[in-house]
Amino acid sequence: MVNGNGKPMKSRVSGFHELSADEKLELIRKFADLTDEDVELLRKTGALDMHKAEMMIENVIGTTEYPVGIATNFLINGRDYLIPMALEEPSVVAAASYAAKLARPRGGFVAESDEPVMIGQIQLVGIKDTKKAKEKIMLKKEEIFDIANKCDSVLVQFGGGVRDIEVRELETSRGKMIVVHLIVDVRDAMGANAVNTMCESVAPLLEEVTGGQKRLRIISNLADRRLARSKAVWGKDVLGEEAIEKILDAYELAANDQYRCTTHNKGAMNGIDAVVLATANDFRAIEAGAHSYAARDGKYKPLTKYCKDDEGNLVGEIELPLALGLVGGATKTHPIAKIAVKIMGVKSSKELAQLVASVGLAQNFAALRALATEGIQSGHMKLHARNIAVIGGAETKEEIDAVVRKMLEEKAINASRAKEILGELRK
Ligand code: MEV
């Protein structure tokens, strides 16, 4: 990280955004001492080429890739789906597919989702009589609706737009504040752009009406009007009574212990995030919303619930906010995301949310079943061993299989042993 004069380079780079991708790369090459091979790999973009990537974010020097796997066996609301998942973790796609397979004999997943309604927040400060201000805002409801809806005539044309407003008074250490909630039906969009624009456009009127000053004008990622739910029954003939009891014990731990609950919810998010990522949706918004929703009662709780039905079968359920879009974001421009949507054949953001919730439930169930019975490491290690065999130099399927078999037998899964085994094999 030294320049031509041997001085350390600074990260303060003026005009970086104005450089071409090649020029940016050249600068980064010098800054980080990248090799020619590093630079070539960064240049070698895939379906998302440099130009498309530059339309999405700033200062682009390349793209990164995740494997996209297909979760099979999903039967949701009586329809068969194949579901693309993008992530780096072994076992997740296989586990979701397995859980979906085990759910099929009892009809698969029954899922539903709320109308795609988001909340936009406008913060107002410096108001003396917040009660009166609240009344005045409510009297201007129609005018506020009008201003907001004018921001997005296409959304209104498609049946969306502002549905309601709510005014909340907050007592804070910096005095009383008002937060106005714009409740907006965003149809098939994730909604951040539409809602943020609306919040900004109605804020001046709110200042005028209340005599206060606007501060934040932004969507809330706690999309608790846009929940998705899914339910499945795993039969006792499929799981066995003992496994069901063990799964219920596992669930109880999550319901009563935040350390476990975090990991429990992480398991569900493994599936949720992977579909969200495959469709180039905003996974940060989904993560923030999911965990906030899990803690909505002041205690962090599992996103899923399990119990036994009258016949002793295991019933699993999930509920979480899912602000997902099919239009207006990267989902419509990312070439692989577009194909992912095609593979699923989903026609609305509501349908997509039902699929994502079902994958979340399947993923969580699969983790609990494995953890409560044989443990997850045996399956995990097999896949891990395949990676290690490749790192050790195995090239053909035969070589990989043979190296994996030997490493598992010896319970020695590391790259140097893989290399040795490969050497012996090739002799
Ligand atoms: C690993 O990515 C996810 C699990 O830890 C989830 C869980 O413990 O329920 C297996």
Side-chain angles (χ1 to χ4, degrees):
M1 286 190 227
V2 291
N3 64 18
N5 305 323
K7 294 216 173 105
M9 284 179 77
K10 290 206 160 63
S11 64
R12 171 78 191 96
V13 187
S14 73
F16 185 74
H17 65 285
E18 284 163 4
L19 303 177
S20 69
D22 277 342
E23 289 166 334
K24 286 187 191 101
L25 262 173
E26 198 41 45
L27 196 144
I28 299 299
R29 177 215 291 271
K30 290 193 185 123
F31 186 90
D33 251 339
L34 299 185
T35 64
D36 288 350
E37 204 188 347
D38 295 333
V39 173
E40 263 332 289
L41 284 175
L42 277 167
R43 236 188 228 122
K44 205 167 101 189
T45 56
L48 182 65
D49 62 37
M50 209 64 108
H51 178 66
K52 286 195 189 98
E54 283 176 323
M55 297 291 118
M56 285 184 185
I57 67 161
E58 311 73 39
N59 294 354
V60 172
I61 59 156
T63 61
T64 189
E65 291 172 64
Y66 280 93
V68 177
I70 294 287
T72 54
N73 308 324
F74 274 85
L75 183 61
I76 303 170
N77 295 337
R79 186 177 148 194
D80 277 286
Y81 290 95
L82 291 174
I83 306 183
M85 300 175 75
L87 84 165
E88 82 304 336
E89 186 174 333
S91 304
V92 170
V93 178
S97 307
Y98 183 56
K101 183 171 127 192
L102 298 187
R104 282 182 83 89
R106 280 186 170 66
F109 298 82
V110 177
E112 55 168 38
S113 42
D114 296 340
E115 290 306 306
V117 169
M118 300 296 290
I119 297 167
Q121 297 193 295
I122 303 124
Q123 178 192 22
L124 295 162
V125 300
I127 300 171
K128 285 199 189 75
D129 189 342
T130 49
K131 260 198 181 44
K132 204 170 231 128
K134 191 172 168 177
E135 282 164 22
K136 285 184 182 165
I137 294 171
M138 285 323 237
L139 288 173
K140 290 279 179 184
K141 206 167 159 175
E142 293 308 317
E143 209 174 315
I144 295 168
F145 275 33
D146 253 23
I147 296 173
N149 281 336
K150 278 207 182 87
C151 294
D152 202 330
S153 54
V154 179
L155 178 63
V156 174
Q157 212 175 305
F158 278 95
V162 183
R163 293 284 181 261
D164 205 358
I165 56 171
E166 289 169 354
V167 185
R168 297 170 50 220
E169 294 166 73
L170 297 180
E171 208 56 83
T172 80
S173 61
R174 290 180 61 81
K176 280 190 177 176
M177 292 179 187
I178 275 190
V179 185
V180 179
H181 279 189
L182 275 191
I183 316 292
V184 186
D185 185 325
V186 297
R187 295 287 90 198
D188 286 326
M190 182 272 182
N193 270 332
V195 171
N196 294 343
T197 309
M198 287 179 178
C199 289
E200 291 193 3
S201 73
V202 302
L205 174 62
L206 293 172
E207 283 187 318
E208 201 183 292
V209 171
T210 61
Q213 296 108 49
K214 60 179 190 280
R215 291 287 185 266
L216 306 189
R217 290 143 293 157
I218 188 76
I219 198 165
S220 168
N221 290 123
L222 177 54
D224 60 0
R225 314 276 175 117
R226 201 178 183 177
L227 302 177
R229 299 163 204 90
S230 184
K231 184 174 176 177
V233 178
W234 285 276
K236 72 172 178 211
D237 48 339
V238 174
L239 288 180
E241 286 179 38
E242 197 188 330
I244 290 179
E245 295 305 325
K246 289 178 174 175
I247 291 170
L248 289 172
D249 287 341
Y251 167 65
E252 246 355 87
L253 179 57
N256 288 282
D257 175 62
Q258 187 167 354
Y259 286 97
R260 172 57 205 156
C261 191
T262 307
T263 322
H264 176 101
N265 285 345
K266 191 270 184 183
M269 298 315 289
N270 271 347
I272 289 165
D273 284 340
V275 187
V276 173
L277 201 56
T279 57
N281 263 287
D282 183 344
F283 60 90
R284 290 85 55 209
I286 299 299
E287 278 284 337
H291 296 292
S292 174
Y293 190 67
R296 65 194 176 282
D297 301 330
K299 182 181 173 223
Y300 186 72
K301 291 207 265 199
L303 292 165
T304 54
K305 280 192 183 129
Y306 292 90
C307 63
K308 275 190 290 188
D309 66 11
D310 292 344
E311 292 156 20
N313 303 308
L314 183 73
V315 182
E317 287 178 70
I318 189 167
E319 180 180 81
L320 79 161
L322 283 173
L324 298 166
L326 286 178
V327 298
T331 311
K332 257 283 188 273
T333 50
H334 193 300
I336 301 299
K338 285 200 280 186
I339 299 171
V341 171
K342 219 181 201 177
I343 295 171
M344 287 184 279
V346 287
K347 296 285 183 280
S348 66
S349 65
K350 282 181 71 175
E351 189 183 357
L352 177 60
Q354 291 165 13
L355 265 63
V356 171
S358 302
V359 175
L361 174 61
Q363 206 71 60
N364 176 245
F365 162 82
L368 293 192
R369 196 207 62 80
L371 287 166
T373 56
E374 74 263 13
I376 58 162
Q377 277 314 86
S378 59
H380 203 81
M381 286 323 267
K382 266 183 219 150
L383 278 162
H384 177 60
R386 293 186 74 77
N387 273 335
I388 297 295
V390 173
I391 292 168
E395 281 169 6
T396 63
K397 183 178 176 311
E398 287 71 29
E399 278 184 350
I400 296 170
D401 287 347
V403 174
V404 166
R405 209 174 311 117
K406 191 95 176 109
M407 284 195 300
L408 288 174
E409 234 171 65
E410 295 175 357
K411 294 198 170 56
I413 301 167
N414 58 68
S416 61
R417 184 63 193 131
K419 221 179 220 161
E420 283 168 17
I421 298 170
L422 195 65
E424 287 157 23
L425 270 174
R426 285 180 179 171
K427 252 188 220 153

